Amino acid sequence: MLDQTPPPPAEIARRRTFAIIAHPDAGKTTLTEKFLLFGGAIQMAGQVRAKGEARRTRSDFLKMEQDRGISVSASAMSFEYRDYRFNLVDTPGHSDFSEDTYRTLTAVDAAIMVIDGAKGVESQTRKLFEVCRLRDLPILTFCNKMDREARDTFEIIDEIQENLAIDVTPASWPIGSGRDFLGAYDLLNDRLELMDRADRNRVAESIRLDGLDDPRLAEHVPAAQLAQLREEIAMARELLPAFDRGAFLAGAMTPIWFGSAINSFGVKELMEGIGEYGPRPQPQKAAERAVGADEPRVTGFVFKVQANMDPKHRDRVAFVRLASGHFTRGMKLTHVRSKKPMAVTNPVLFLAADRELADEAWAGDIIGIPNHGQLRIGDALTEGEALRFTGIPSFAPELLQTIRATDPMKAKHLEKALTQFAEEGAAKVFKPMIGSGFIVGVVGALQFEVLASRIQQEYQIPVRFESSQFSSARWISGEKPEVEKLVNANRQHIATDSDGDLVFLTRLQWDIDRVLRDYPAARLTATKEMMA
């Protein structure tokens, strides 16, 4: 992993671009809030369901997210912490939004995995971890909610090692749990960190020590807990591997911190860990070659499109991960798919739903480019080179339903809204060859609810979803004569997606088997690469 390439410019080297992954309710949104608080980006951390608009969490800006207290769209936030520039991408925690999460993870260099001290590794954590594993992303782990009754520390570490097949090394060690939780011992820096229960937004008191035998420990930790701490750390050092940055950067080892995000405890140490040990912006893969962060020419790719972030302006913002170079406002970049130059005059940096004009940005940064539909997920922007960034997938939906506007006069408006959501990646929209109307495909059932809610909120069109005769969809590719033969003989199964690509709608696995048997030169695929 340690390469021989010359060091990148200092501005690039200080960037850390990462995502937070977690099962719903593990405390991901609270942790995001505290990151922003310690980064000086917000003055007061607000609870997810706190009263009053002023205390809404800053990373959840859709109405449904604020009402339910869940994150369903990925948002990006940039802020300074010490000598580092953090680009944090908040991902949906709900499993029904896994595709948005997957695409988000293509734009980051590392991930923070948040687990609940009482529940350990949960199903969605496992799924998201697998996505990180596919990309060999370095992972830092934060074991949250230690101020509540939690499981034994060794048990938590064992479960991570067994379930996720990754080495775990403790970066800190908790002192007690639940009511007896005092804080943690920082193993990487030999410091005692004490939690302040009185003020949830206060940074923990930090006492630098000369190892575990330092007599000052006894002034802060009761004798019984101190004896247990010394015994557990001695066992941990014997049984668990020491931190190895090379193994961590290769995705084979995860350091774990213990804390309580709601009490602001352990968060600062985690942030220091990302800054000190996390990877600088990494090379990005394109079909033509790998693009290094320190290349002088600007390149970047769109990994997310968010429509109507500001409902008053009907805007669309493309989230672009800069892969290389030094970008300045007003630059002309080539939009590779259309081969047209594009002057980027009003790029923005995000603090959740707030934004500010970006005068400059470097490789590793995430900028937003407001546009009216020119930019789509997977698009590349370069200073002239025809690059196509790879690894941004589109997945076949697992649930299909037909959609109708309850007012037939609004059918045309509904088509416009659906096109917008398809380009945003919020759903797949299929236009069947036979019959009118649209079929909407999603990965999880909650997405239908979110879509209906957003169409009502943003376009004032009440809609209803009805069951479809089809259960899944596959993209069609292969030799042209064979594809034409397949389409002509199965018109009742054929639709086009929002890019105009042919799709085969299936009722049963038998339909797929029959097509593969009868048309051997055609292919049906469950994923589609989103490339310019």
Side-chain angles (χ1 to χ4, degrees):
M1 190 75 195
L2 297 170
D3 55 357
Q4 300 302 308
T5 52
E11 275 299 331
I12 294 175
R14 76 185 191 95
R15 263 124 178 106
R16 299 289 180 270
T17 304
F18 59 95
I20 300 184
I21 60 171
H23 192 86
D25 284 337
K28 178 172 66 68
T29 305
T30 310
L31 182 64
T32 303
E33 288 281 292
K34 298 298 170 140
F35 271 28
L36 297 178
L37 182 73
F38 290 156
I42 55 174
Q43 301 308 307
M44 173 176 68
Q47 288 256 220
V48 181
R49 297 187 187 84
K51 291 184 174 66
E53 283 305 310
R55 299 204 36 172
R56 288 283 179 218
T57 85
R58 302 294 286 270
S59 58
D60 290 339
F61 57 83
L62 294 181
K63 185 169 190 321
M64 188 171 182
E65 294 180 312
Q66 294 171 353
D67 292 346
R68 288 187 178 223
I70 58 168
S71 301
V72 297
S73 70
S75 55
M77 287 149 272
S78 299
F79 56 98
E80 301 276 332
Y81 180 72
R82 303 217 165 146
D83 298 332
Y84 303 103
R85 173 78 174 178
F86 282 170
N87 296 306
L88 161 58
V89 187
D90 187 24
T91 62
H94 202 285
S95 58
D96 285 7
F97 299 89
S98 51
E99 186 167 349
D100 197 16
T101 304
Y102 195 115
R103 282 199 294 264
T104 299
L105 291 173
T106 63
V108 298
D109 302 310
I112 292 173
M113 178 168 70
V114 184
I115 59 172
D116 183 317
K119 295 176 184 165
V121 179
E122 296 174 85
S123 56
Q124 181 62 7
T125 317
R126 211 169 285 128
K127 275 188 189 168
L128 292 167
F129 178 83
E130 284 310 316
V131 174
C132 296
R133 170 61 51 83
L134 287 170
R135 301 186 59 77
D136 289 331
L137 280 181
I139 292 173
L140 304 96
T141 303
F142 184 70
C143 185
N144 193 21
K145 304 190 182 181
M146 292 303 292
D147 58 319
R148 302 185 191 176
E149 287 311 317
R151 285 159 52 184
D152 174 72
T153 309
F154 283 105
E155 205 182 302
I156 291 168
I157 290 174
D158 279 350
E159 186 179 16
I160 297 170
Q161 294 195 139
E162 280 172 33
N163 275 314
L164 306 178
I166 188 169
D167 286 336
V168 180
T169 180
S172 72
W173 199 266
I175 305 170
S177 74
R179 277 189 190 160
D180 300 329
F181 184 62
L182 292 180
Y185 187 80
D186 181 340
L187 289 160
L188 297 176
N189 301 295
D190 268 327
R191 284 187 309 215
L192 177 66
E193 307 289 348
L194 296 173
M195 187 172 86
D196 185 343
R197 283 183 187 267
D199 183 352
R200 286 183 153 174
N201 290 337
R202 274 251 333 255
V203 177
E205 185 189 353
S206 184
I207 299 151
R208 189 164 282 287
L209 298 164
D210 191 17
L212 280 165
D213 298 327
D214 194 315
R216 284 176 302 157
L217 260 172
E219 296 168 23
H220 303 283
V221 182
Q225 278 183 299
L226 181 54
Q228 186 184 353
L229 175 70
R230 283 177 171 148
E231 186 187 334
E232 286 182 353
I233 289 180
M235 278 175 67
R237 283 181 166 154
E238 191 67 35
L239 299 170
L240 297 167
F243 179 66
D244 173 346
R245 186 164 184 241
F248 159 64
L249 290 175
M253 170 183 277
T254 179
I256 183 168
W257 282 263
F258 292 85
S260 163
I262 199 141
N263 287 296
S264 304
F265 183 77
V267 178
K268 184 170 61 72
E269 291 70 37
L270 177 62
M271 291 173 83
E272 284 171 7
I274 301 162
E276 202 170 325
Y277 307 115
R280 66 189 198 201
Q282 294 295 294
Q284 300 296 318
K285 291 192 181 92
E288 297 73 18
R289 62 187 186 84
V291 179
D294 48 352
E295 292 181 18
R297 294 167 85 85
V298 172
T299 63
F301 60 91
V302 178
F303 66 94
K304 176 183 171 60
V305 174
Q306 182 73 50
N308 304 338
M309 276 175 89
D310 181 351
K312 290 193 283 289
H313 292 112
R314 278 266 177 272
D315 67 341
R316 251 198 252 197
V317 176
F319 287 67
V320 175
R321 154 76 195 235
L322 290 178
S324 66
H326 177 208
F327 168 85
T328 52
R329 181 151 72 99
M331 257 183 134
K332 268 200 168 61
L333 294 175
T334 301
H335 178 220
V336 173
R337 179 167 51 84
S338 67
K339 302 184 176 62
K340 288 181 180 164
M342 189 174 181
V344 186
T345 50
N346 52 353
V348 289
L349 285 171
F350 299 99
L351 173 58
D354 296 346
R355 43 175 107 164
E356 56 181 52
L357 272 179
D359 285 318
E360 62 169 2
W362 294 82
D365 282 340
I366 288 163
I367 59 169
I369 301 180
N371 69 101
H372 294 288
Q374 302 97 305
L375 292 174
R376 286 196 233 149
I377 293 168
D379 278 0
L381 293 169
T382 71
E383 284 192 73
E385 189 179 352
L387 288 173
R388 291 167 305 147
F389 287 94
T390 58
I392 307 173
S394 184
F395 297 108
E398 291 166 24
L399 300 166
L400 296 177
Q401 289 193 358
T402 55
I403 185 170
R404 306 213 184 285
T406 50
D407 176 356
M409 302 298 285
K410 295 202 165 170
K412 202 77 194 145
H413 296 292
L414 176 60
E415 182 173 344
K416 189 180 168 199
L418 289 174
T419 304
Q420 186 117 355
F421 289 126
E423 287 176 2
E424 193 184 306
K428 304 286 178 297
V429 177
F430 303 121
K431 180 91 178 80
M433 246 184 182
I434 294 174
S436 61
F438 291 90
I439 292 174
V440 173
V442 296
V443 174
L446 184 59
Q447 281 178 286
F448 286 127
E449 251 184 86
V450 170
L451 266 185
S453 158
R454 286 189 63 191
I455 292 170
Q456 170 77 58
Q457 288 277 328
E458 296 166 24
Y459 294 90
Q460 289 74 52
I461 307 171
V463 295
R464 67 173 187 270
F465 284 103
E466 297 165 355
S467 59
S468 161
Q469 58 169 319
F470 300 112
S471 63
S472 70
R474 294 289 182 271
W475 282 280
I476 304 170
S477 59
E479 293 172 15
K480 200 175 172 193
E482 191 92 329
V483 169
E484 284 174 0
K485 208 161 70 174
L486 158 64
V487 168
N488 291 331
N490 296 275
R491 294 178 83 81
Q492 73 280 18
H493 284 274
I494 305 296
T496 50
D497 68 7
S498 52
D499 296 325
D501 292 333
L502 287 168
V503 174
F504 185 83
L505 300 173
T506 73
R507 286 174 299 222
L508 306 160
Q509 179 61 36
W510 182 85
D511 288 328
I512 297 173
D513 296 340
R514 176 181 63 80
V515 166
L516 296 176
R517 187 188 66 227
D518 295 349
Y519 306 95
R523 284 189 304 281
L524 298 182
T525 55
T527 57
K528 177 174 100 165
E529 184 82 36
M530 300 179 85
M531 277 197 301

